[in-house]
Amino acid sequence: MKILVVGNGGREHAIAWTLLQSPNVEQVFCTPGNGGTATLKGCQNYPISVEDFEGIKTLVETQGISLVVVGPELPLALGITDYLQQHNIKVFGPNQAGAQLEASKAWSKAFMEEAGIPTAKAAVFTDAQTAKAYVQTAPIVVKADGLAAGKGVTVATTVEMAHAAIDSIFAGEFGQDNRRVVVEDFLTGQEASVLALTDGLTIRPLVPAQDHKQAGEGDTGPNTGGMGAYAPTPIVPAELMPRVQQEVLEPTLATLRQRGIDYRGVVYAGLMISPEGEIQVLEFNCRFGDPETQAVLALLDTPLDEVLLACCEQRLEQVPLTWKSGVSVCVVLASGGYPGSYEKGKIITGIEEAEASGAIVFHGGTKLQDGQILTDGGRVLGVTAIGPTFKEAITQTYKAVDCIHFEGLYCRRDIGFRVDH
């Protein structure tokens, strides 16, 4: 079969690579793709924007594509699934109504309250003055209501920092549409990501992961889209997963159904696990995480196309999810200056050497130009390796990282540091 992956990040390269491991998949197309998907055997890029729904539909029809897998949140929030389904095209990814889980944090908070899902107390504001008056103590969390590429959240350690975050949101730092602010209580514990697949009838978690969102070592500095991840994480041990299923995933699916939302895709629950083992939901996303996907899919044994098709056709219950043994670690190599301003067009060397060492190098912000791979984004590469233990997986990953070079390269050297290994 032929499959189209919509998007151009590390997540999309990982999805395309994983699909091509299946004997059922003849060819993968990516729109617009990146330098990694351009050089991936069996994969072809088409320079079509993720927002060009008509262009994507035409590609599907002319190439005989059987399934569309939507990577990023933006086209989902804009209604790509609804559009393609109207033309009888199979899509993995929720419709526009379901994508509100991520597209509006205020909507998502009200949804969690209705579903009885444990989460931090929060308030929603439409003007800066009222929001700032609400903030009396710190630490406190300030969130832009709409999509902000993973960067619209500030954990404010002082009242002044919270006020500055509120002002920046209303000033349009995260887009002119982001004119609502969610202010919520600060939670203590460790964050974990549980990505679950649903066909609208059944919901099943993948192996839990932990993402390192902050730019600096020891989880310090500004939030990013994610600087690295590993799976499975002992922060969500096997004995805790039934509670995640009962307290978070099942109520989510039940409430979606009660609201008449036919949700077929990923429900990504960002969790806070307290020192006492309590579970609270920090946020929901409506798609695969990045870089969690790189770590999680590297461990998936079941052919990915079979699982995604089962979600589209509402027969997920019939498909077993099997996993490779061991631990997967992904380290993101970023452009100097990220998540702030950075330069593009730097020549990347050493990818072949890194892969020869046993790692998989997933491209995020890259492009192929005149036979060379160049930097083309903030998060450039996701170097991923599997080992029998955390220690061996981390060692293997950083051995591959050290093969790669480009001007301004920055990466955290402590991915997985919270694990006792």
Side-chain angles (χ1 to χ4, degrees), residues 13-282:
H13 187 186
I15 292 168
W17 179 88
T18 308
L19 287 168
L20 284 165
Q21 309 304 304
S22 169
N24 313 318
V25 177
E26 173 193 345
Q27 190 173 10
V28 170
F29 300 87
C30 288
T31 55
N34 59 34
T37 54
T39 52
L40 181 61
K41 188 180 177 185
C43 187
Q44 189 172 349
N45 285 355
Y46 279 84
I48 302 172
S49 163
V50 300
E51 299 175 54
D52 181 1
F53 298 171
E54 188 176 346
I56 288 167
K57 173 183 81 77
T58 301
L59 178 65
V60 169
E61 291 170 345
T62 55
Q63 294 293 337
I65 289 164
S66 306
L67 173 66
V68 176
V69 181
V70 185
E73 61 276 14
L74 179 61
L76 293 168
L78 292 174
I80 189 172
T81 297
D82 311 68
Y83 177 87
L84 295 177
Q85 284 177 342
Q86 285 165 12
H87 295 89
N88 299 311
I89 295 168
K90 270 183 192 154
V91 188
F92 177 82
N95 57 24
Q96 192 170 29
Q100 289 180 97
L101 264 185
E102 178 169 4
S104 169
K105 289 185 170 58
W107 189 95
S108 187
K109 274 289 178 183
F111 177 93
M112 286 186 241
E113 192 174 327
E114 181 185 329
I117 293 168
T119 187
K121 179 189 166 197
V124 181
F125 301 94
T126 54
D127 71 277
Q129 191 174 347
T130 315
K132 289 196 282 191
Y134 176 82
V135 177
Q136 299 292 322
T137 58
I140 200 160
V141 181
V142 178
K143 298 180 176 181
D145 176 55
L147 298 178
K151 298 171 199 160
V153 177
T154 300
V155 179
T157 51
T158 65
V159 171
E160 292 75 22
M161 190 176 171
H163 287 183
I166 290 164
D167 283 336
S168 71
I169 291 167
F170 283 109
E173 183 180 340
F174 302 105
Q176 295 307 309
D177 294 336
N178 257 319
R179 294 303 177 91
R180 275 200 303 184
V181 164
V182 177
V183 180
E184 65 181 38
D185 289 357
F186 174 77
L187 300 176
T188 56
Q190 285 211 52
E191 291 188 39
S193 304
V194 173
L195 282 61
L197 303 180
T198 181
D199 61 1
L201 303 174
T202 302
I203 188 162
R204 295 169 66 183
L206 306 181
V207 290
Q210 185 175 51
D211 174 23
H212 294 272
K213 290 194 185 301
Q214 281 143 304
E217 311 271 310
D219 290 341
T220 58
N223 262 1
T224 70
M227 293 301 296
Y230 63 93
T233 174
I235 293 151
V236 188
E239 58 269 23
L240 197 61
M241 286 304 289
R243 284 186 50 207
V244 173
Q245 184 78 18
Q246 292 155 17
E247 296 175 27
V248 178
L249 301 182
E250 294 292 351
T252 300
L253 181 57
T255 305
L256 286 166
R257 296 188 66 188
Q258 284 162 16
R259 290 189 173 198
I261 296 172
D262 182 4
Y263 194 109
R264 305 184 198 189
V266 176
V267 173
Y268 164 156
L271 305 178
M272 181 67 83
I273 312 296
S274 77
E276 299 76 36
E278 291 306 306
I279 303 164
Q280 289 188 287
V281 175
L282 294 169

Side-chain angles (χ1 to χ4, degrees), residues 359-374:
I360 314 158
V361 180
F362 293 121
H363 294 231
T366 70
K367 66 178 178 181
L368 178 64
Q369 185 174 303
D370 301 327
Q372 290 184 311
I373 300 291
L374 306 178

Side-chain angles (χ1 to χ4, degrees), residues 352-395:
E352 287 182 9
E353 291 83 347
E355 293 188 323
S357 77
I360 314 158
V361 180
F362 293 121
H363 294 231
T366 70
K367 66 178 178 181
L368 178 64
Q369 185 174 303
D370 301 327
Q372 290 184 311
I373 300 291
L374 306 178
T375 67
D376 196 43
R379 292 186 298 160
V380 178
L381 301 169
V383 181
T384 307
I386 299 171
T389 65
F390 278 106
K391 188 173 183 179
E392 288 167 281
I394 289 166
T395 300

